[in-house]
Amino acid sequence: MPVIKSLLFLLLVCVVVLVSTAGAQSEAEVPLRDQARFYFDAIPHEVPGKELVDHFDEKVALGQRLFFDPRLSMSQTVSCHSCHNLSMGGDDGRPVSVGHGWQTGPRNAPTVFNAGLQIAQFWDGRARDLVEQAGAPMTSPVEMASTDPLICDVLSSMPDYVAWFTRAFPERENPICFATTRHALAAFVSSLLTPDAPFDRYLAGQEEALDDLQKQGLREFIALGCTQCHMSTNLGGNGYYRFGVKHAPEQRYRPQEDLGRRLVMDTISEDYVFKVPTLRNVALTAPYFHAGSAWTLEESVEVMAWVQLDKKLTEQQVDALVAFFSSLTGSLPTIALPALPVSTRETPRPAY
Amino acid sequence: MPVIKSLLFLLLVCVVVLVSTAGAQSEAEVPLRDQARFYFDAIPHEVPGKELVDHFDEKVALGQRLFFDPRLSMSQTVSCHSCHNLSMGGDDGRPVSVGHGWQTGPRNAPTVFNAGLQIAQFWDGRARDLVEQAGAPMTSPVEMASTDPLICDVLSSMPDYVAWFTRAFPERENPICFATTRHALAAFVSSLLTPDAPFDRYLAGQEEALDDLQKQGLREFIALGCTQCHMSTNLGGNGYYRFGVKHAPEQRYRPQEDLGRRLVMDTISEDYVFKVPTLRNVALTAPYFHAGSAWTLEESVEVMAWVQLDKKLTEQQVDALVAFFSSLTGSLPTIALPALPVSTRETPRPAY
């Protein structure tokens, strides 16, 4: 896919050069917006493919309740929202998250916003999609520490949940189970799109949606080659690359105990390979990198330029890139806190 | 006050007896609703005294954001909402709450709904009002583990918070400080009223708002003498009584290491004295008692009748009382999740 895109881009450059040579344009340069449109797409307003999912809206409504329900954790203390805080950019603002028993996980919590537009989930892409992803934190001993049967027992004990599951999964004989819980959560998370960022409006033709510094940053972003990895709708989330292509990052950025995708693929060539993180809403999601060790965008940009591209940036370049990143903050969805059903006599009790 | 009310009630009984003797009524019994109106008041729709607070609405809006902001805790993990979950009856459904470092507190988290209608805050009443109350969890080492200056540094580092504090406290030269944080939180919590419970509609004259079993429960509640403690608007929250007036409760209900109000008053007569908890929305707030050790209303009612009133209840009495309690669930406010400002370079980082 990147190869085809590169060829297409070359073709685009040739056409523009020919046109400009013919006197129609004074500079042999592809207009910035056309370059941008080549690499990037706008965040959609609607969930792609939602028409293929039966009872999608009912699944989203149910998933929203599940997302906020701490009873999906063994202690009934930790909910999805605990680490993917929808008030705070869809993550938790910490290097690594705090889970069951105050344990910390090994990697920085990624944002849930626009997560459904990625090729796979988790830093190492070990979950194929949001449905697979949703199961892992609930049953991870360091996160929510629950189990498949416990979650079913908890949810089945409350008549409101039974009704909501039945509405969202009417074709199932037993609508409440771990699989449907994951499906409903995935539907809700897929609905967490943040369209209409200034950058999206610029892509759509609003010239003034980006200021001059942001345009300069976009130009740098393309010229430096950041688009080799951060492309497509999410400016990331679309492929896997080694963190440290040109230089090994300092150990605080790339702890040696986390080999990334190597743990999934088990080939040495995957050492320190991670899914390219999205840059959408990146201004809201510090700290950065899989270890959550860079606290500012300026620091992150300098590190990435050096270790991935063998480039030392000027202060002006850094400022322009960070300004461009600020144009990637979209409209966050308005979320009403759900009223959750009351535990019943049959609801398993919180365990510590 | 209870003495005056008792005298007034006696007077009411005399009047009714006289009226019924005169042939106007066949039974020498005060109508149930009049008895109920004597002891209880409806939850108001508006915060009492809000007109006395300058910029009340701005304080509420700010307080709502603060309530959901985990950055008020040292780890930036625990918010007010963590233990006072507005999706779940305003508490956390656990015997005792989980705070900083997964420590547990000594007492069951009370609901924040209608909390402003109480005479004082905490199980032992050690905070005079919501303003005083709001400060304690933020700086308690087992809860949010922050400090007065840290909270000011965190909030002052974000321009949006500076603007919101200035709007809510325009008369202050330095609008952000620990005192104003507490005032804003108190304003928000005071706004968390749950009016229009079936019981409130019954008090207002809607005869059918309570079914027969609920009315029977109300009759038992008054006849048994529960109203000696659970009276007024909140059916509780209005006075202090010893837990175990007639019999010592089992130790799981009354752990011997918690002497209650004795810790505040330092007189032996206050041993095991606690503020009467509110029964408003009690069906949503299991487990019960200050140690959070009774998981059902049935169990709680039986314990209370025995240890406070020296009475063994029949199954019918228990059922009726529990049915009456279900009529105390009001309309919970609809809360929109706030969009919180982004941490800046100056924001102190989470500490573990």
Side-chain angles (χ1 to χ4, degrees):
Chain A
M1 184 67 173
V3 175
I4 295 172
K5 278 216 161 186
S6 298
L7 289 173
L8 282 172
F9 184 62
L10 203 64
L11 188 68
L12 179 70
V13 171
C14 293
V15 169
V16 171
V17 168
L18 284 172
V19 169
S20 72
T21 310
Q25 212 170 331
S26 62
E27 279 177 39
E29 190 190 74
V30 182
L32 182 62
R33 195 197 321 275
D34 291 340
Q35 294 184 51
R37 279 188 181 140
F38 176 77
Y39 289 112
F40 312 115
D41 300 304
I43 295 279
H45 283 79
E46 289 283 336
V47 179
K50 62 179 267 192
E51 66 283 359
L52 303 174
V53 179
D54 289 337
H55 308 282
F56 182 78
D57 292 339
E58 288 79 4
K59 287 180 171 71
V60 169
L62 169 59
Q64 177 166 349
R65 287 154 175 148
L66 295 168
F67 192 85
F68 282 95
D69 200 329
R71 290 169 298 188
L72 295 184
S73 66
M74 187 171 74
S75 67
Q76 304 194 2
T77 309
V78 186
S79 69
C80 305
H81 183 72
S82 301
C83 302
H84 299 288
N85 192 323
L86 303 183
S87 288
M88 296 177 68
D91 72 350
D92 57 8
R94 288 183 292 267
V96 292
S97 295
V98 171
H100 185 82
W102 209 255
Q103 296 171 93
T104 47
R107 292 179 187 150
N108 183 253
T111 179
V112 280
F113 288 121
N114 311 302
L117 305 177
Q118 303 184 126
I119 52 162
Q121 301 299 320
F122 294 116
W123 277 96
D124 52 20
R126 69 184 183 277
R128 189 179 46 207
D129 54 25
L130 289 173
V131 177
E132 201 173 313
Q133 187 278 331
M138 286 189 277
T139 55
S140 160
V142 301
E143 297 183 59
M144 296 168 77
S146 193
T147 64
D148 177 339
L150 178 58
I151 286 166
C152 296
D153 286 351
V154 165
L155 295 173
S156 304
S157 71
M158 290 174 264
D160 280 347
Y161 267 124
V162 175
W164 296 329
F165 270 90
T166 306
R167 210 171 300 155
F169 301 95
E171 73 287 359
R172 301 232 184 188
E173 205 181 327
N174 296 309
I176 294 190
C177 67
F178 194 53
T180 49
T181 301
R182 288 188 282 117
H183 272 277
L185 281 166
F188 174 61
V189 172
S190 77
S191 78
L192 297 173
L193 299 171
T194 69
D196 300 326
F199 181 59
D200 293 316
R201 291 189 274 112
Y202 175 78
L203 286 177
Q206 280 185 32
E207 187 59 34
E208 73 292 354
L210 299 194
D211 65 24
D212 287 344
L213 190 62
Q214 290 172 324
K215 283 179 197 159
Q216 181 55 33
L218 169 57
R219 216 171 269 123
E220 293 285 0
F221 192 78
I222 296 171
L224 286 164
C226 307
T227 48
Q228 287 172 54
C229 300
H230 294 280
M231 63 190 321
S232 189
T233 313
N234 264 357
L235 293 84
N238 55 315
Y240 304 95
Y241 293 92
R242 185 179 163 90
F243 182 27
V245 170
K246 298 286 186 180
H247 303 280
E250 281 179 41
Q251 188 161 322
R252 68 191 158 122
Y253 300 127
R254 199 183 75 176
Q256 62 189 10
E257 64 273 18
D258 186 353
L259 292 176
R261 203 162 159 72
R262 165 75 175 277
L263 304 173
V264 183
M265 302 298 281
D266 201 25
T267 78
I268 203 163
S269 64
E270 297 285 334
D271 276 6
Y272 301 123
V273 168
F274 293 92
K275 190 180 66 185
V276 180
T278 175
L279 297 180
R280 288 287 183 178
N281 303 303
V282 72
L284 310 182
T285 62
Y288 304 106
F289 302 147
H290 66 282
S293 48
W295 281 91
T296 65
L297 283 172
E298 287 78 0
E299 178 184 350
S300 310
V301 160
E302 287 175 354
V303 170
M304 289 306 280
W306 177 244
V307 307
Q308 302 301 86
L309 302 166
D310 188 30
K311 288 187 175 136
K312 293 279 188 195
L313 302 183
T314 65
E315 205 175 308
Q316 286 72 20
Q317 284 176 307
V318 171
D319 289 349
L321 285 165
V322 171
F324 167 57
F325 290 169
S326 74
S327 81
L328 298 172
T329 302
S331 298
L332 305 191
T334 304
I335 307 284
L337 204 65
L340 295 175
V342 187
S343 295
T344 65
R345 206 179 286 263
E346 283 71 41
T347 308
R349 291 174 188 166
Y352 296 82
Chain B
M1 183 69 171
V3 175
I4 294 171
K5 278 216 160 185
S6 299
L7 289 174
L8 281 171
F9 185 62
L10 203 65
L11 188 67
L12 180 70
V13 172
C14 294
V15 169
V16 171
V17 169
L18 285 172
V19 168
S20 69
T21 311
Q25 213 170 330
S26 62
E27 280 175 41
E29 190 190 70
V30 182
L32 182 61
R33 194 197 319 277
D34 292 340
Q35 293 184 49
R37 278 187 181 140
F38 177 77
Y39 289 111
F40 312 115
D41 301 302
I43 296 278
H45 284 79
E46 290 282 336
V47 179
K50 62 179 267 193
E51 67 282 358
L52 302 174
V53 179
D54 289 338
H55 308 281
F56 182 77
D57 293 339
E58 289 79 5
K59 286 181 171 71
V60 168
L62 169 59
Q64 178 166 350
R65 288 154 174 147
L66 295 168
F67 192 84
F68 282 95
D69 200 327
R71 291 170 295 188
L72 295 185
S73 66
M74 187 172 73
S75 67
Q76 304 194 2
T77 308
V78 186
S79 69
C80 305
H81 183 72
S82 301
C83 302
H84 299 288
N85 192 322
L86 302 184
S87 287
M88 297 177 68
D91 71 351
D92 57 9
R94 288 184 292 267
V96 292
S97 296
V98 171
H100 185 82
W102 208 257
Q103 297 172 90
T104 46
R107 291 180 188 150
N108 182 252
T111 179
V112 280
F113 289 121
N114 311 305
L117 305 178
Q118 303 184 128
I119 52 162
Q121 302 299 320
F122 295 116
W123 277 96
D124 52 20
R126 68 185 183 278
R128 188 179 46 206
D129 53 27
L130 290 173
V131 177
E132 201 172 311
Q133 186 279 330
M138 287 190 276
T139 55
S140 158
V142 302
E143 297 184 59
M144 298 168 76
S146 192
T147 63
D148 176 341
L150 178 58
I151 286 167
C152 296
D153 285 351
V154 165
L155 295 172
S156 304
S157 70
M158 291 174 264
D160 280 347
Y161 267 125
V162 175
W164 294 330
F165 270 91
T166 306
R167 210 171 301 153
F169 300 94
E171 73 288 0
R172 299 231 184 187
E173 204 181 330
N174 296 307
I176 295 190
C177 67
F178 194 53
T180 50
T181 300
R182 288 187 282 119
H183 272 276
L185 281 166
F188 174 61
V189 173
S190 78
S191 78
L192 297 173
L193 298 171
T194 69
D196 299 326
F199 181 60
D200 293 315
R201 291 190 274 110
Y202 175 77
L203 285 178
Q206 279 185 35
E207 187 60 34
E208 73 290 354
L210 299 194
D211 65 24
D212 287 345
L213 191 61
Q214 291 171 325
K215 282 179 197 160
Q216 182 56 33
L218 169 57
R219 218 171 270 123
E220 293 285 1
F221 192 78
I222 296 172
L224 286 164
C226 307
T227 47
Q228 286 172 54
C229 299
H230 293 281
M231 61 190 321
S232 189
T233 313
N234 264 356
L235 292 84
N238 55 314
Y240 304 95
Y241 292 91
R242 184 178 163 92
F243 182 26
V245 170
K246 299 283 187 181
H247 303 280
E250 282 179 41
Q251 188 160 322
R252 68 193 159 120
Y253 301 128
R254 199 183 74 178
Q256 63 189 10
E257 63 273 19
D258 186 353
L259 292 176
R261 202 162 160 73
R262 164 76 175 277
L263 304 173
V264 183
M265 302 299 281
D266 201 25
T267 77
I268 203 163
S269 64
E270 297 286 332
D271 275 8
Y272 300 124
V273 167
F274 292 92
K275 190 180 67 187
V276 181
T278 173
L279 296 180
R280 288 287 183 177
N281 303 301
V282 71
L284 310 181
T285 61
Y288 303 106
F289 302 147
H290 67 281
S293 47
W295 281 90
T296 65
L297 282 172
E298 286 79 358
E299 179 184 349
S300 310
V301 161
E302 286 174 355
V303 170
M304 288 306 280
W306 177 243
V307 306
Q308 302 299 88
L309 301 166
D310 189 30
K311 288 190 175 134
K312 294 279 186 194
L313 302 183
T314 66
E315 206 176 307
Q316 286 72 21
Q317 283 177 307
V318 171
D319 288 349
L321 285 165
V322 171
F324 167 56
F325 290 170
S326 74
S327 81
L328 298 173
T329 303
S331 299
L332 304 191
T334 305
I335 306 285
L337 205 63
L340 296 175
V342 187
S343 295
T344 65
R345 206 179 285 263
E346 283 72 41
T347 308
R349 292 176 188 163
Y352 297 82

